[in-house]
Amino acid sequence: MSDFDYDLFVMGAGSGGVRAARISASHGAKVAVAEEHRVGGTCVIRGCVPKKMLVYGSMFAEELGHAENYGWDIEGKSFDWKRLRDFVNNDVDRLEGLYEKTLQSHEVDLFAERASIAGPNTVKLASGREVTAKKILIAVGAWPAMPDFPGVEHCISSNEVFHLEEKPNCLMVVGGGYIAMEFAGIFNALGSEVTVVNRTDRILRSYDEQIVDRMLHIAMGRGINFKMHSKIAKVEKTDDGCLLVDLGDSNPLRVNQVLIATGRKPKTDGLGLENAGVAMDEKGAIKVDEYNRTSCQSIYAVGDVTDRVQLTPVAIREGHAFADTVFGNNPRTVDYDHIPSAVFTQPPLAGVGLTERDAKNQYGNVKVYSSDFRPMKNMFNPHAERGHYKMIVDEASEKILGIHMIGPESPEILQVAAVAVKAGLTKQAFDDTMALHPSMAEELVLLK
Ligand code: NDP
């Protein structure tokens, strides 16, 4: 008989926590999970999944325009935000149910309440009950970081954007990262007037600058307004429910919603970490070693709460590696090199490996191959939007250091190209591969 109630207590049923719970249970551990919101976490409930569905929903606006050019008459077309919103949220409910079933089928006990650390092997639930476990895994994720200005309480974050009563006619988006650019694209496509307010003139900082410039050019062509080097001084709510946004420069802007997307911070407030000596960094992220172990021997952490790479597949790998290491007798670490990523703007952009600037800084002599082309799909696009693919190659070894692209379906194409970059292939390997014609992806084997 164990001295503890459980072998493993997982705090947080998001992507990392659920994977860790399921795999640990399959290794024979007795597992419990506590979740204060909904099973599925950010990705499933208020992130990647519903966002991508909104992207798909919003893309019909453009596709319907193309359809008419291809000979289809579509009479009486109109858009109903509530129908899209409810369809998306119903699917989120379905996925939440599937996640719960996964936990049940692995005999993981679920506590639908907040948990905090009471000691190295003790968790305190919101109900007051204390539960002990041989190991504790903190997988509570991150939360939108809201800046401090008068009237910020009138603004929304990505948590609320999926539940809006009305589609905003006029939307301000604050920030220049993933969430800002993706929602600017969604609401622009749905017909809202969108203004992006960014504190510098750089957006999507980690992506290749040329690709981002193309994205900006296309976004402006589609009517998204950008106010660079700007920040909100205050927001006031008017009697008719609109928001007056003072940017400190000219007349206040009148909008229906202000979406704040200025990063996400680890959700460590009030978690009781001090009760077990779990150390954090200056940003409030839990410090872990390569095996996800915190400064307390019995407590581990994975996912956004550790602020290593805030991406779902990374949290899942970390959760899996934790379970194999601690309960599967198979110590494993996560390889953080060459993580592909994408921004689901319209069109989307995607990248893997080093950007041109980083490659030049690290390797000195690099070759850049590119293709700047008009996708056949865009034949009827009134703005003549062009795709751009880039491959960065180390001149000495001829190995590919990075691939970056913008254009329709680029995340789908990049995922496969990332295998080649990860495998250390050279540009010659791409040149040796026959083109698949006609496709956009063939540009990758025809780069000059
Ligand atoms: P990001 O880190 O992507 O971007 C934050 C943006 O806000 C940057 O432009 C940053 O500017 C700006 N900013 C930061 N602090 C302030 C401030 N105090 N005032 C004004 N502007 C500020 O964060 P997001 O919130 O967009 O997304 C959070 C995370 O979620 C991402 O890092 C990503 O890992 C993940 N995510 C991934 C997606 C995907 O894979 N497609 C989609 C959505 C989210 P600066 O550059 O100057 O620092």
Side-chain angles (χ1 to χ4, degrees), residues 203-204 207-218 343 345 347-351 355-356 369-371 386-392 403-407 410:
I203 60 168
L204 297 172
Y207 284 86
D208 189 273
E209 282 166 55
Q210 240 183 324
I211 300 293
V212 172
D213 281 350
R214 175 64 53 88
M215 200 278 284
L216 263 175
H217 182 80
I218 292 175
V343 190
T345 40
L349 57 96
T355 62
E356 182 177 345
Y369 300 91
S370 67
S371 173
R386 297 179 70 80
H388 190 182
Y389 293 0
K390 280 176 79 172
M391 183 184 279
I392 324 291
I403 295 182
H404 308 278
M405 48 172 63
I406 179 166
S410 56

Side-chain angles (χ1 to χ4, degrees), residues 192-207:
S192 304
E193 190 181 332
V194 177
T195 302
V196 175
V197 171
N198 191 39
R199 64 177 172 182
T200 66
D201 59 4
R202 279 207 60 189
I203 60 168
L204 297 172
R205 215 172 262 286
S206 61
Y207 284 86

Side-chain angles (χ1 to χ4, degrees), residues 6-160:
Y6 291 97
D7 297 315
L8 172 66
F9 196 101
V10 181
M11 295 164 65
S15 301
V18 168
R19 175 61 67 96
R22 172 165 78 77
I23 302 299
S24 299
S26 69
H27 287 315
K30 187 180 177 202
V31 184
V33 177
E35 171 55 56
E36 63 177 324
H37 298 295
R38 296 176 62 185
V39 174
T42 300
C43 175
V44 174
I45 306 294
R46 52 188 170 272
C48 325
V49 171
K51 176 279 308 287
K52 184 81 181 272
M53 294 177 87
L54 288 185
V55 171
Y56 280 138
S58 70
M59 280 168 67
F60 278 97
E62 190 187 353
E63 304 270 332
L64 288 174
H66 288 186
E68 282 168 1
N69 290 324
Y70 278 106
W72 294 90
D73 286 325
I74 303 155
E75 277 166 27
K77 65 179 178 189
S78 62
F79 172 70
D80 182 346
W81 160 255
K82 285 182 182 149
R83 217 180 322 147
L84 172 61
R85 180 200 64 189
D86 294 347
F87 168 73
V88 169
N89 287 325
N90 286 342
D91 208 57
V92 166
D93 294 346
R94 181 184 67 82
L95 288 170
E96 182 185 15
L98 290 179
Y99 268 67
E100 283 173 353
K101 268 204 186 112
T102 298
L103 291 176
Q104 278 163 14
S105 66
H106 286 81
E107 295 177 359
V108 173
D109 289 344
L110 177 62
F111 294 94
E113 54 188 309
R114 183 172 166 77
S116 58
I117 302 277
N121 297 97
T122 309
V123 164
K124 184 166 185 179
L125 296 167
S127 56
R129 178 176 165 189
E130 292 204 344
V131 179
T132 60
K134 194 169 172 197
K135 306 284 181 200
I136 296 170
L137 178 70
I138 304 174
V140 296
W143 204 245
M146 300 297 271
D148 193 14
F149 55 76
V152 70
E153 68 278 8
H154 303 308
C155 304
I156 57 168
S157 72
S158 53
N159 288 347
E160 291 79 40

